[in-house]
Amino acid sequence: DGGITQSPKYLFRKEGQNVTLSCEQNLNHDAMYWYRQDPGQGLRLIYYSQIVNDFQKGDIAEGYSVSREKKESFPLTVTSAQKNPTAFYLCASSISPASTDTQYFGPGTRLTVL
Amino acid sequence: AQKITQTQPGMFVQEKEAVTLDCTYDTSDQSYGLFWYKQPSSGEMIFLIYQGSYDEQNATEGRYSLNFQKARKSANLVISASQLGDSAMYFCAMREGRSSGGSNYKLTFGKGTLLTVNP
């Protein structure tokens, strides 16, 4: 079955630690995205990647980093510089970055800072 | 100004009845896409339906239809024959074209409408 997987489902982090959230897709999509969702809010874009070895900052990139070494994988690192990292993180992909292409989402990772 | 406005924080509907979830948008682009997603309590964002700005016909996908009124900049989601499993948050989102000068890569989301289907 084609789809997007994210791991772990739940993640707990101590203050000052970096953590990495995994996102893998087997849909052969070129474009991948990371969004953050806070309670009662819609999603906000953190980073996106149009193609392997390329990525761009979204609206709220501060305190986050990404890599895109393989087409299938787009991991997100939440660094200690992120002031308020507790949130629900969703990864998405689309066939291309075109505005008409649907973004499909993974199941999400819920990050809690202790 | 908000790009996507969903004015109904919560809606209730009886099972088997139809319900309309409102969405208005703001863009100066001629080319854009409008999307509706469903988010159940599990958290996954499930794609429901898409409407392109140049599409003349309203989009339909099974029990979902999109009432697209371009002049009014509205893209309301209609769910027919509601089922208990339709209870979830529903988000309207827009993706603008390149001519906006901003990124056309992101989806801009509304704040969502919580739909509850009563038996």
Side-chain angles (χ1 to χ4, degrees), chain B residues 70-114:
Chain B
K70 195 169 181 176
R72 297 179 61 184
K73 293 189 175 178
S74 75
N76 298 338
L77 177 70
V78 180
I79 305 174
S80 62
S82 296
Q83 302 172 357
L84 295 178
D86 293 336
S87 294
M89 281 291 287
Y90 288 81
F91 289 94
C92 179
M94 176 174 64
R95 206 168 177 192
E96 295 169 278
R98 291 184 183 274
S99 62
S100 68
S103 167
N104 73 328
Y105 304 116
K106 71 176 181 182
L107 285 169
T108 300
F109 284 81
K111 295 191 174 182
T113 295
L114 179 61

Side-chain angles (χ1 to χ4, degrees), chain A residues 17 30 42 68 94 106 113:
Chain A
Q17 284 183 335
D30 281 330
R68 187 88 186 275
S94 62
V113 173

Side-chain angles (χ1 to χ4, degrees), chain A residues 13 17-22 34 46-47 61-67 74-80 82 89 111:
Chain A
R13 189 195 93 172
Q17 284 183 335
N18 293 354
V19 290
T20 298
L21 283 59
S22 168
W34 274 105
I46 305 171
Y47 267 98
E62 185 175 351
Y64 300 98
S65 65
V66 294
S67 63
F74 191 41
L76 174 74
T77 297
V78 184
T79 75
S80 56
Q82 169 48 235
Y89 292 86
L111 173 64

Side-chain angles (χ1 to χ4, degrees), chain A residues 1-5 24-29 32 71-72 93:
Chain A
D1 281 337
I4 303 171
T5 57
E24 304 275 334
Q25 55 97 1
N26 60 2
L27 301 167
N28 201 31
H29 285 176
M32 296 187 74
K71 187 175 186 177
E72 307 80 29
S93 70

